[in-house]
Amino acid sequence: MSGSPGSPGSPGSPLGPGSPPSEGGFVRRVGLFQATAINMSQMCGIGPFVTIPLMVSAFGGPQAVIGFVAGAVLALCDGLVWAELGAAMPGSGGSYVYLRQAFQYRTGRLMPFLFVWTAMLFIPLIMSTGVVGFVQYLGYLAPGLGQTSGDLIGLGIIALVVLLLWRGIEHIARITAVMWTVMIASVLLVIVAAASDFSPHLAFTYPAHAFDLTGDHFWLGFAAGLTIGIYDYLGYNTTAYMGAEIKDPGRTLPRSILYSIVGIMAIYLLLQIGTLGVVDWHRMTNPDDIASTSVASAVLEKTWGKGAADTVTVLILITAFASVFTGLLGGSRVPYDAARDRVFFRPYEKLHPKHRFPMLGLATMGVITAIGFLIGRHTDLATLIQLLTTVMVIVQALAQIVALTVLRRRQPTLKRPYRMWFYPVPSIVAFAGWCVIYGYADRNSPGRHPIEWSLAWLALGCVAFLLWARLEKVWPFGRREITEEYVTPESPVAV
């Protein structure tokens, strides 16, 4: 976005290039602790508590730990991409900002438009899986919970999240810090409980041919496990979507991303191994066993009794709520910058007159989350994860990795407070990991056709872009507009 001379969005501003304008824009109030808490709350959430059984089923045994390790490696490598781009271009919208800057030279506004198009779908779908998990664990406390009652409770949770987000960021930051504390407590209690009755025999006894690399079975399990693993880590980039609201973003954004990934990596491994050391993995693959739907509650019930299991289940529900809360907080900012730059529907640029948050973005994603929740309640959770992951791969994950390299060539003097370690190795590893997820999608979801659905959605987005570009008279129906607003006048770009 362009700022007037002397405004925070102008090159000479004390906040640096790319900061939001002080008039009508966001306010930088989120510090490092709060930023890391936002990321970790979104990353952890209900994810590992509902996907441990899915991971075990994918691998067919306790070797499922490989899936979480692989997911951590992909998250860390991809996180370094986000760290460099976010520190250099700390605007609201995350990937939208990076893709707009990198691909404007060839395809005008196509890539940022497609990103917002897909993000408006996959971000709330991710949130909908969290609400599905919430209702799933609620079933442990209320075994007689019916389908209709569960649906109504889930919709009520979504409405409550939107209501709580309908306020200023300074209040939200405090709420998030409290929920982060609850999240850490719930996870640590499960880990400690598992350690108190840990059986190495259960955790490290593998079925025959568990590590046979010569057949398709292992690699199909690995691809499915990588998909589930990266789904559990998604959220390490939440604060990048809120770049315009982060204090000292050049330092805070990279650190919040890296700290949250490393912290969650340690938590997940302890949680996964501890759970496998208490609950027989065969129980997790039995749909009639409580361990297949509420594995953390099963761990607490076996180790500390039903009362402790009920208490920790309540904490897990709060954790799930926190995940949806922070996800919609960051995701609702995505269409804001695009609308201000005339790359998305203009009503999305309007902020709340008092609390300065994007009203229509929050409302739209709340509605899509509700629709996704209802769909998820009547389908397979693993398939839903596969579908939403596939939708985001091409336009966000792969394109953003390419964008980092393009920007290093196109804008070599762009101020980069953080530069990727060991470049380009992490980019290559991340690109390969996302390709594995996408390439194996159809084989891991037979009959669901996630690749075909993702390509169809992308094609529909291209049609929508052409119609929009025709109305706006921009490329390919007008001239390309090159705006390097994150480069100072003294820093020429390579065109």
Side-chain angles (χ1 to χ4, degrees):
M1 69 195 91
S2 301
S4 59
S7 74
S10 64
S13 164
L15 288 179
S19 300
S22 57
E23 295 183 5
F26 292 121
V27 180
R28 295 188 183 277
R29 289 174 174 165
V30 180
L32 177 59
F33 172 76
Q34 293 166 333
T36 305
I38 288 171
N39 282 348
M40 292 183 71
S41 296
Q42 169 59 14
M43 291 170 72
C44 189
I46 196 69
F49 297 118
V50 296
T51 57
I52 287 176
L54 298 180
M55 190 77 81
V56 171
S57 297
F59 277 90
Q63 69 273 24
V65 172
I66 296 173
F68 282 111
V69 174
V73 172
L74 176 54
L76 188 58
C77 291
D78 196 53
L80 295 180
V81 175
W82 281 91
E84 176 169 326
L85 294 174
M89 295 170 285
S92 62
S95 292
Y96 160 73
V97 177
Y98 320 145
L99 298 179
R100 182 190 68 201
Q101 286 293 300
F103 295 104
Q104 61 182 330
Y105 304 96
R106 299 290 185 188
T107 59
R109 303 179 186 183
L110 173 63
M111 289 304 294
F113 181 94
L114 289 178
F115 166 72
V116 179
W117 175 266
T118 56
M120 294 293 285
L121 178 65
F122 73 73
I123 290 177
L125 284 183
I126 293 173
M127 298 309 101
S128 70
T129 64
V131 185
V132 170
F134 181 99
V135 176
Q136 191 170 302
Y137 263 81
L138 186 62
Y140 178 81
L141 298 177
L145 187 67
Q147 182 74 35
T148 302
S149 298
D151 291 348
L152 293 175
I153 290 173
L155 293 175
I157 290 297
I158 296 168
L160 179 59
V161 167
V162 173
L163 181 64
L164 289 176
L165 288 172
W166 209 267
R167 63 193 64 236
I169 187 66
E170 68 276 12
H171 304 296
I172 292 173
R174 288 194 290 268
I175 293 172
T176 301
V178 172
M179 290 193 292
W180 177 83
T181 303
V182 175
M183 181 272 291
I184 291 295
S186 63
V187 174
L188 289 180
L189 283 172
V190 177
I191 291 173
V192 172
S196 68
D197 192 24
F198 182 78
S199 168
H201 176 75
L202 284 177
F204 303 114
T205 300
Y206 306 105
H209 310 296
F211 301 100
D212 182 5
L213 307 183
T214 58
D216 284 345
H217 179 75
F218 176 86
W219 294 111
L220 283 172
F222 178 84
L226 180 61
T227 303
I228 296 168
I230 196 60
Y231 161 79
D232 282 331
Y233 283 97
L234 289 178
Y236 54 84
N237 50 14
T238 300
T239 48
Y241 290 118
M242 303 169 56
E245 298 164 270
I246 303 296
K247 296 177 183 176
D248 190 13
R251 291 168 56 86
T252 300
L253 266 174
R255 292 183 180 187
S256 70
I257 291 171
L258 296 179
Y259 290 172
S260 59
I261 292 173
V262 173
I264 291 294
M265 184 190 310
I267 289 172
Y268 279 179
L269 290 178
L270 290 173
L271 188 64
Q272 169 80 5
I273 295 172
T275 299
L276 287 169
V278 174
V279 178
D280 189 323
W281 69 268
H282 293 90
R283 291 183 58 193
M284 301 184 199
T285 61
N286 180 2
D288 298 324
D289 196 303
I290 191 65
S292 67
T293 56
S294 307
V295 68
S297 302
V299 169
L300 267 296
E301 184 175 320
K302 183 176 180 182
T303 54
W304 294 349
K306 186 67 165 62
D310 289 344
T311 302
V312 173
T313 300
V314 171
L315 296 180
I316 291 173
L317 294 177
I318 297 174
T319 298
F321 183 89
S323 174
V324 178
F325 181 89
T326 54
L328 287 180
L329 167 64
S332 63
R333 270 64 178 168
V334 172
Y336 169 76
D337 240 2
R340 290 194 62 174
D341 290 340
R342 293 194 305 120
V343 181
F344 204 59
F345 305 105
R346 298 190 184 189
Y348 283 92
E349 72 176 316
K350 186 177 181 180
L351 294 177
H352 190 280
K354 179 180 178 181
H355 298 304
R356 317 307 300 167
F357 68 88
M359 296 182 293
L360 187 56
L362 176 59
T364 302
M365 289 198 174
V367 170
I368 298 175
T369 299
I371 295 172
F373 163 73
L374 293 176
I375 294 173
R377 285 277 290 168
H378 299 275
T379 188
D380 178 68
L381 182 59
T383 299
L384 184 59
I385 292 173
Q386 189 80 65
L387 287 169
L388 67 87
T389 306
T390 305
V391 168
M392 64 176 282
V393 167
I394 296 179
V395 177
Q396 184 188 51
L398 298 182
Q400 186 163 286
I401 294 169
V402 174
L404 185 143
T405 301
V406 169
L407 285 168
R408 283 200 173 200
R409 181 173 65 88
R410 290 283 193 178
Q411 301 182 10
T413 55
L414 173 69
K415 183 180 179 181
R416 292 175 172 86
Y418 168 80
R419 296 177 70 90
M420 176 187 286
W421 302 331
F422 308 112
Y423 175 84
V425 175
S427 290
I428 295 172
V429 173
F431 196 93
W434 288 114
C435 286
V436 169
I437 289 174
Y438 195 80
Y440 276 83
D442 275 354
R443 298 187 67 181
N444 283 316
S445 299
R448 303 288 186 175
H449 308 292
I451 292 179
E452 289 82 353
W453 279 110
S454 68
L455 293 176
W457 184 254
L458 185 61
L460 186 60
C462 290
V463 173
F465 171 77
L466 290 175
L467 294 174
W468 172 87
R470 182 76 177 181
L471 292 173
E472 294 285 342
K473 296 181 173 57
V474 298
W475 184 92
F477 303 103
R479 66 184 182 88
R480 281 193 296 264
E481 299 175 2
I482 308 300
T483 57
E484 297 109 355
E485 66 264 37
Y486 290 91
V487 180
T488 62
E490 296 78 19
S491 304
V493 295
V495 179

